[in-house]
Structures are given as structure tokens and as C-alpha cells.
PDB file of all heavy atoms in Angstrom:
ATOM      1  N   LEU A   1     161.785 -33.926  86.400  1.00  0.00           N
ATOM      2  CA  LEU A   1     162.006 -35.347  86.113  1.00  0.00           C
ATOM      3  C   LEU A   1     160.775 -35.891  85.399  1.00  0.00           C
ATOM      4  O   LEU A   1     159.635 -35.635  85.812  1.00  0.00           O
ATOM      5  CB  LEU A   1     162.237 -36.121  87.409  1.00  0.00           C
ATOM      6  CG  LEU A   1     163.503 -36.963  87.481  1.00  0.00           C
ATOM      7  CD1 LEU A   1     163.507 -38.071  86.456  1.00  0.00           C
ATOM      8  CD2 LEU A   1     164.741 -36.098  87.341  1.00  0.00           C
ATOM      9  N   ARG A   2     161.022 -36.632  84.321  1.00  0.00           N
ATOM     10  CA  ARG A   2     159.936 -37.207  83.552  1.00  0.00           C
ATOM     11  C   ARG A   2     160.306 -38.636  83.151  1.00  0.00           C
ATOM     12  O   ARG A   2     161.456 -38.913  82.803  1.00  0.00           O
ATOM     13  CB  ARG A   2     159.691 -36.369  82.290  1.00  0.00           C
ATOM     14  CG  ARG A   2     158.498 -36.802  81.482  1.00  0.00           C
ATOM     15  CD  ARG A   2     158.175 -35.799  80.385  1.00  0.00           C
ATOM     16  NE  ARG A   2     159.157 -35.764  79.315  1.00  0.00           N
ATOM     17  CZ  ARG A   2     159.851 -34.686  78.963  1.00  0.00           C
ATOM     18  NH1 ARG A   2     159.698 -33.548  79.622  1.00  0.00           N
ATOM     19  NH2 ARG A   2     160.702 -34.732  77.977  1.00  0.00           N
ATOM     20  N   ILE A   3     159.349 -39.528  83.205  1.00  0.00           N
ATOM     21  CA  ILE A   3     159.562 -40.906  82.780  1.00  0.00           C
ATOM     22  C   ILE A   3     158.942 -41.080  81.395  1.00  0.00           C
ATOM     23  O   ILE A   3     157.724 -40.968  81.232  1.00  0.00           O
ATOM     24  CB  ILE A   3     158.930 -41.904  83.773  1.00  0.00           C
ATOM     25  CG1 ILE A   3     159.524 -41.710  85.178  1.00  0.00           C
ATOM     26  CG2 ILE A   3     159.154 -43.332  83.287  1.00  0.00           C
ATOM     27  CD1 ILE A   3     161.014 -41.957  85.266  1.00  0.00           C
ATOM     28  N   ASP A   4     159.773 -41.335  80.411  1.00  0.00           N
ATOM     29  CA  ASP A   4     159.304 -41.484  79.034  1.00  0.00           C
ATOM     30  C   ASP A   4     158.884 -42.940  78.797  1.00  0.00           C
ATOM     31  O   ASP A   4     159.624 -43.743  78.218  1.00  0.00           O
ATOM     32  CB  ASP A   4     160.400 -41.053  78.052  1.00  0.00           C
ATOM     33  CG  ASP A   4     160.530 -39.533  77.959  1.00  0.00           C
ATOM     34  OD1 ASP A   4     159.825 -38.839  78.705  1.00  0.00           O
ATOM     35  OD2 ASP A   4     161.339 -39.054  77.143  1.00  0.00           O
ATOM     36  N   ASP A   5     157.682 -43.256  79.238  1.00  0.00           N
ATOM     37  CA  ASP A   5     157.199 -44.640  79.196  1.00  0.00           C
ATOM     38  C   ASP A   5     156.086 -44.840  78.172  1.00  0.00           C
ATOM     39  O   ASP A   5     155.159 -45.629  78.393  1.00  0.00           O
ATOM     40  CB  ASP A   5     156.727 -45.075  80.588  1.00  0.00           C
ATOM     41  CG  ASP A   5     155.605 -44.193  81.139  1.00  0.00           C
ATOM     42  OD1 ASP A   5     155.297 -43.158  80.525  1.00  0.00           O
ATOM     43  OD2 ASP A   5     155.037 -44.544  82.181  1.00  0.00           O
ATOM     44  N   LEU A   6     156.179 -44.158  77.039  1.00  0.00           N
ATOM     45  CA  LEU A   6     155.181 -44.327  75.993  1.00  0.00           C
ATOM     46  C   LEU A   6     155.191 -45.731  75.414  1.00  0.00           C
ATOM     47  O   LEU A   6     154.158 -46.238  74.989  1.00  0.00           O
ATOM     48  CB  LEU A   6     155.426 -43.318  74.858  1.00  0.00           C
ATOM     49  CG  LEU A   6     154.858 -41.912  75.052  1.00  0.00           C
ATOM     50  CD1 LEU A   6     155.206 -41.053  73.852  1.00  0.00           C
ATOM     51  CD2 LEU A   6     153.355 -41.944  75.258  1.00  0.00           C
ATOM     52  N   ASP A   7     156.373 -46.338  75.369  1.00  0.00           N
ATOM     53  CA  ASP A   7     156.484 -47.690  74.821  1.00  0.00           C
ATOM     54  C   ASP A   7     156.078 -48.685  75.899  1.00  0.00           C
ATOM     55  O   ASP A   7     156.905 -49.153  76.686  1.00  0.00           O
ATOM     56  CB  ASP A   7     157.914 -47.954  74.350  1.00  0.00           C
ATOM     57  CG  ASP A   7     158.042 -49.239  73.543  1.00  0.00           C
ATOM     58  OD1 ASP A   7     157.134 -50.089  73.640  1.00  0.00           O
ATOM     59  OD2 ASP A   7     159.045 -49.389  72.832  1.00  0.00           O
ATOM     60  N   ALA A   8     154.787 -49.025  75.918  1.00  0.00           N
ATOM     61  CA  ALA A   8     154.259 -49.884  76.978  1.00  0.00           C
ATOM     62  C   ALA A   8     154.897 -51.268  76.964  1.00  0.00           C
ATOM     63  O   ALA A   8     155.040 -51.908  78.013  1.00  0.00           O
ATOM     64  CB  ALA A   8     152.744 -50.010  76.840  1.00  0.00           C
ATOM     65  N   GLY A   9     155.299 -51.737  75.801  1.00  0.00           N
ATOM     66  CA  GLY A   9     155.878 -53.069  75.703  1.00  0.00           C
ATOM     67  C   GLY A   9     157.247 -53.194  76.329  1.00  0.00           C
ATOM     68  O   GLY A   9     157.646 -54.298  76.723  1.00  0.00           O
ATOM     69  N   ARG A  10     157.970 -52.092  76.459  1.00  0.00           N
ATOM     70  CA  ARG A  10     159.333 -52.130  76.996  1.00  0.00           C
ATOM     71  C   ARG A  10     159.461 -51.467  78.363  1.00  0.00           C
ATOM     72  O   ARG A  10     160.470 -51.640  79.042  1.00  0.00           O
ATOM     73  CB  ARG A  10     160.306 -51.447  76.027  1.00  0.00           C
ATOM     74  CG  ARG A  10     160.373 -52.091  74.646  1.00  0.00           C
ATOM     75  CD  ARG A  10     161.389 -51.385  73.778  1.00  0.00           C
ATOM     76  NE  ARG A  10     162.717 -51.466  74.361  1.00  0.00           N
ATOM     77  CZ  ARG A  10     163.699 -50.604  74.110  1.00  0.00           C
ATOM     78  NH1 ARG A  10     163.486 -49.564  73.333  1.00  0.00           N
ATOM     79  NH2 ARG A  10     164.884 -50.756  74.672  1.00  0.00           N
ATOM     80  N   SER A  11     158.470 -50.683  78.755  1.00  0.00           N
ATOM     81  CA  SER A  11     158.563 -49.927  79.999  1.00  0.00           C
ATOM     82  C   SER A  11     158.215 -50.800  81.203  1.00  0.00           C
ATOM     83  O   SER A  11     157.296 -51.622  81.138  1.00  0.00           O
ATOM     84  CB  SER A  11     157.618 -48.725  79.953  1.00  0.00           C
ATOM     85  OG  SER A  11     157.993 -47.837  78.916  1.00  0.00           O
ATOM     86  N   ARG A  12     158.962 -50.603  82.298  1.00  0.00           N
ATOM     87  CA  ARG A  12     158.749 -51.358  83.528  1.00  0.00           C
ATOM     88  C   ARG A  12     158.730 -50.391  84.715  1.00  0.00           C
ATOM     89  O   ARG A  12     159.665 -49.605  84.900  1.00  0.00           O
ATOM     90  CB  ARG A  12     159.872 -52.386  83.730  1.00  0.00           C
ATOM     91  CG  ARG A  12     159.993 -53.422  82.609  1.00  0.00           C
ATOM     92  CD  ARG A  12     158.839 -54.418  82.646  1.00  0.00           C
ATOM     93  NE  ARG A  12     158.980 -55.453  81.621  1.00  0.00           N
ATOM     94  CZ  ARG A  12     158.499 -55.359  80.388  1.00  0.00           C
ATOM     95  NH1 ARG A  12     157.846 -54.265  80.008  1.00  0.00           N
ATOM     96  NH2 ARG A  12     158.663 -56.343  79.520  1.00  0.00           N
ATOM     97  N   ALA A  13     157.667 -50.470  85.515  1.00  0.00           N
ATOM     98  CA  ALA A  13     157.540 -49.578  86.667  1.00  0.00           C
ATOM     99  C   ALA A  13     158.682 -49.779  87.650  1.00  0.00           C
ATOM    100  O   ALA A  13     159.196 -48.811  88.233  1.00  0.00           O
ATOM    101  CB  ALA A  13     156.198 -49.809  87.359  1.00  0.00           C
ATOM    102  N   ALA A  14     159.103 -51.028  87.860  1.00  0.00           N
ATOM    103  CA  ALA A  14     160.197 -51.301  88.795  1.00  0.00           C
ATOM    104  C   ALA A  14     161.500 -50.679  88.310  1.00  0.00           C
ATOM    105  O   ALA A  14     162.317 -50.208  89.114  1.00  0.00           O
ATOM    106  CB  ALA A  14     160.365 -52.814  88.974  1.00  0.00           C
ATOM    107  N   VAL A  15     161.697 -50.665  87.001  1.00  0.00           N
ATOM    108  CA  VAL A  15     162.905 -50.053  86.439  1.00  0.00           C
ATOM    109  C   VAL A  15     162.872 -48.543  86.658  1.00  0.00           C
ATOM    110  O   VAL A  15     163.885 -47.925  87.001  1.00  0.00           O
ATOM    111  CB  VAL A  15     163.036 -50.389  84.944  1.00  0.00           C
ATOM    112  CG1 VAL A  15     164.154 -49.572  84.297  1.00  0.00           C
ATOM    113  CG2 VAL A  15     163.305 -51.877  84.757  1.00  0.00           C
ATOM    114  N   ALA A  16     161.711 -47.929  86.470  1.00  0.00           N
ATOM    115  CA  ALA A  16     161.580 -46.492  86.700  1.00  0.00           C
ATOM    116  C   ALA A  16     161.924 -46.144  88.148  1.00  0.00           C
ATOM    117  O   ALA A  16     162.632 -45.168  88.421  1.00  0.00           O
ATOM    118  CB  ALA A  16     160.166 -46.034  86.363  1.00  0.00           C
ATOM    119  N   ASP A  17     161.443 -46.940  89.085  1.00  0.00           N
ATOM    120  CA  ASP A  17     161.749 -46.699  90.496  1.00  0.00           C
ATOM    121  C   ASP A  17     163.253 -46.826  90.753  1.00  0.00           C
ATOM    122  O   ASP A  17     163.835 -46.037  91.515  1.00  0.00           O
ATOM    123  CB  ASP A  17     160.982 -47.692  91.367  1.00  0.00           C
ATOM    124  CG  ASP A  17     159.479 -47.454  91.350  1.00  0.00           C
ATOM    125  OD1 ASP A  17     159.055 -46.346  90.973  1.00  0.00           O
ATOM    126  OD2 ASP A  17     158.732 -48.392  91.698  1.00  0.00           O
ATOM    127  N   GLU A  18     163.876 -47.816  90.145  1.00  0.00           N
ATOM    128  CA  GLU A  18     165.319 -48.003  90.295  1.00  0.00           C
ATOM    129  C   GLU A  18     166.082 -46.802  89.725  1.00  0.00           C
ATOM    130  O   GLU A  18     167.054 -46.326  90.335  1.00  0.00           O
ATOM    131  CB  GLU A  18     165.745 -49.274  89.567  1.00  0.00           C
ATOM    132  CG  GLU A  18     167.254 -49.511  89.563  1.00  0.00           C
ATOM    133  CD  GLU A  18     167.658 -50.596  88.579  1.00  0.00           C
ATOM    134  OE1 GLU A  18     167.240 -50.540  87.403  1.00  0.00           O
ATOM    135  OE2 GLU A  18     168.412 -51.499  88.984  1.00  0.00           O
ATOM    136  N   GLN A  19     165.635 -46.283  88.604  1.00  0.00           N
ATOM    137  CA  GLN A  19     166.290 -45.125  87.999  1.00  0.00           C
ATOM    138  C   GLN A  19     166.222 -43.912  88.916  1.00  0.00           C
ATOM    139  O   GLN A  19     167.210 -43.183  89.081  1.00  0.00           O
ATOM    140  CB  GLN A  19     165.638 -44.814  86.656  1.00  0.00           C
ATOM    141  CG  GLN A  19     165.910 -45.862  85.586  1.00  0.00           C
ATOM    142  CD  GLN A  19     165.178 -45.579  84.291  1.00  0.00           C
ATOM    143  OE1 GLN A  19     164.180 -44.844  84.268  1.00  0.00           O
ATOM    144  NE2 GLN A  19     165.655 -46.146  83.196  1.00  0.00           N
ATOM    145  N   LEU A  20     165.072 -43.695  89.519  1.00  0.00           N
ATOM    146  CA  LEU A  20     164.923 -42.559  90.430  1.00  0.00           C
ATOM    147  C   LEU A  20     165.841 -42.709  91.639  1.00  0.00           C
ATOM    148  O   LEU A  20     166.442 -41.729  92.106  1.00  0.00           O
ATOM    149  CB  LEU A  20     163.467 -42.426  90.874  1.00  0.00           C
ATOM    150  CG  LEU A  20     162.445 -42.128  89.769  1.00  0.00           C
ATOM    151  CD1 LEU A  20     161.041 -42.030  90.360  1.00  0.00           C
ATOM    152  CD2 LEU A  20     162.804 -40.859  89.024  1.00  0.00           C
ATOM    153  N   ARG A  21     165.975 -43.930  92.151  1.00  0.00           N
ATOM    154  CA  ARG A  21     166.875 -44.158  93.295  1.00  0.00           C
ATOM    155  C   ARG A  21     168.329 -43.890  92.910  1.00  0.00           C
ATOM    156  O   ARG A  21     169.088 -43.303  93.696  1.00  0.00           O
ATOM    157  CB  ARG A  21     166.715 -45.589  93.810  1.00  0.00           C
ATOM    158  CG  ARG A  21     165.403 -45.849  94.538  1.00  0.00           C
ATOM    159  CD  ARG A  21     165.445 -47.171  95.299  1.00  0.00           C
ATOM    160  NE  ARG A  21     165.626 -48.313  94.419  1.00  0.00           N
ATOM    161  CZ  ARG A  21     164.611 -49.000  93.865  1.00  0.00           C
ATOM    162  NH1 ARG A  21     163.368 -48.650  94.107  1.00  0.00           N
ATOM    163  NH2 ARG A  21     164.852 -50.044  93.091  1.00  0.00           N
ATOM    164  N   ASP A  22     168.723 -44.291  91.709  1.00  0.00           N
ATOM    165  CA  ASP A  22     170.091 -44.054  91.268  1.00  0.00           C
ATOM    166  C   ASP A  22     170.376 -42.559  91.126  1.00  0.00           C
ATOM    167  O   ASP A  22     171.464 -42.082  91.488  1.00  0.00           O
ATOM    168  CB  ASP A  22     170.353 -44.755  89.934  1.00  0.00           C
ATOM    169  CG  ASP A  22     170.608 -46.246  90.097  1.00  0.00           C
ATOM    170  OD1 ASP A  22     170.664 -46.725  91.249  1.00  0.00           O
ATOM    171  OD2 ASP A  22     170.757 -46.940  89.065  1.00  0.00           O
ATOM    172  N   LEU A  23     169.426 -41.822  90.592  1.00  0.00           N
ATOM    173  CA  LEU A  23     169.604 -40.377  90.459  1.00  0.00           C
ATOM    174  C   LEU A  23     169.754 -39.719  91.826  1.00  0.00           C
ATOM    175  O   LEU A  23     170.631 -38.865  92.031  1.00  0.00           O
ATOM    176  CB  LEU A  23     168.422 -39.772  89.701  1.00  0.00           C
ATOM    177  CG  LEU A  23     168.284 -40.189  88.223  1.00  0.00           C
ATOM    178  CD1 LEU A  23     166.953 -39.702  87.669  1.00  0.00           C
ATOM    179  CD2 LEU A  23     169.438 -39.636  87.393  1.00  0.00           C
ATOM    180  N   GLN A  24     168.904 -40.103  92.759  1.00  0.00           N
ATOM    181  CA  GLN A  24     169.003 -39.551  94.110  1.00  0.00           C
ATOM    182  C   GLN A  24     170.328 -39.929  94.769  1.00  0.00           C
ATOM    183  O   GLN A  24     170.919 -39.123  95.499  1.00  0.00           O
ATOM    184  CB  GLN A  24     167.831 -40.042  94.951  1.00  0.00           C
ATOM    185  CG  GLN A  24     166.489 -39.458  94.542  1.00  0.00           C
ATOM    186  CD  GLN A  24     165.327 -40.063  95.313  1.00  0.00           C
ATOM    187  OE1 GLN A  24     165.263 -41.280  95.502  1.00  0.00           O
ATOM    188  NE2 GLN A  24     164.393 -39.223  95.744  1.00  0.00           N
ATOM    189  N   ALA A  25     170.799 -41.137  94.507  1.00  0.00           N
ATOM    190  CA  ALA A  25     172.037 -41.605  95.140  1.00  0.00           C
ATOM    191  C   ALA A  25     173.243 -40.761  94.735  1.00  0.00           C
ATOM    192  O   ALA A  25     174.176 -40.597  95.531  1.00  0.00           O
ATOM    193  CB  ALA A  25     172.277 -43.074  94.785  1.00  0.00           C
ATOM    194  N   ILE A  26     173.241 -40.230  93.513  1.00  0.00           N
ATOM    195  CA  ILE A  26     174.389 -39.405  93.098  1.00  0.00           C
ATOM    196  C   ILE A  26     174.128 -37.915  93.337  1.00  0.00           C
ATOM    197  O   ILE A  26     174.878 -37.066  92.849  1.00  0.00           O
ATOM    198  CB  ILE A  26     174.787 -39.663  91.635  1.00  0.00           C
ATOM    199  CG1 ILE A  26     173.676 -39.242  90.670  1.00  0.00           C
ATOM    200  CG2 ILE A  26     175.181 -41.119  91.428  1.00  0.00           C
ATOM    201  CD1 ILE A  26     174.146 -39.200  89.216  1.00  0.00           C
TER     202      ILE A  26
END
């Protein structure tokens, strides 16, 4: 698993955490 957060202006840590939870949920 990798978070492609090179675009600092659009990347959000809270969104990354939410994405990881969604992946685990399925």
C-alpha cells in the first residue's frame, strides 16, 4: 500500500486515513 501524496496542495492526511479504512472494510 502506498499513498501518492506528492501533490501537497491537494493531499489530505485525513482523506488518506479514510481510504485505508475503506480498503480494510472490504
Side-chain angles (χ1 to χ4, degrees):
L1 234 297
R2 185 170 70 239
I3 302 298
D4 283 4
D5 59 352
L6 277 179
D7 190 341
R10 300 182 61 204
S11 297
R12 300 288 183 270
V15 171
D17 292 341
E18 175 193 50
Q19 291 176 339
L20 297 180
R21 288 193 298 270
D22 281 356
L23 294 171
Q24 290 175 316
I26 64 168

